[in-house]
């Protein structure tokens, strides 16, 4: 089916900084999650953030994003 993703970027105090959503077309749910994580990380990188805490329900996605030059300082699984 159709895959999509979205995310919210907050600062270190939890204040809203940015949000995004995207339609990835026909793809598996895992691929959509990986792509959404990549989009969020790219937005954070462009905004100048160098350290991230990623909160999502799929820790495997986070482990797949090793090529991005950001330091993931924490992973919070929300399931």
């Amino acid at each position: 089916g159709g895959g999509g993703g979205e995310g919210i970027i907050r600062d270190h105090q939890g204040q809203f900084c940015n949000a995004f959503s995207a339609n990835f077309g026909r793809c598996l749910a895992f691929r959509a999650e990986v792509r959404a994580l990549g989009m969020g990380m790219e937005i954070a990188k462009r905004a100048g953030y160098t350290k991230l805490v990623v909160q999502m329900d799929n820790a495997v996605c986070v482990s797949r994003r090793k090529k991005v030059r950001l330091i993931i300082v924490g992973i919070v699984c929300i399931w």
Side-chain angles (χ1 to χ4, degrees):
E6 66 278 328
I8 298 173
I9 298 175
R10 300 181 184 274
D11 67 13
H12 65 285
Q13 296 177 330
Q15 298 297 312
F16 175 85
C17 294
N18 202 337
F20 65 93
S21 65
N23 180 345
F24 302 126
R26 189 171 174 87
C27 66
L28 296 174
F30 179 78
R31 179 136 177 95
E33 288 186 50
V34 170
R35 290 183 69 183
L37 175 60
M39 285 182 69
M41 293 177 75
E42 187 60 37
I43 291 168
K45 182 178 173 182
R46 281 193 230 136
Y49 293 102
T50 57
K51 296 179 182 177
L52 300 176
V53 174
V54 175
Q55 182 176 351
M56 66 184 308
D57 63 357
N58 195 331
V60 176
C61 286
V62 178
S63 68
R64 289 274 185 112
R65 300 302 305 185
K66 294 179 180 176
K67 293 182 180 180
V68 178
R69 290 184 181 159
L70 294 169
I71 299 169
I72 298 175
V73 295
I75 299 171
V76 179
C77 291
I78 56 173
W79 42 267

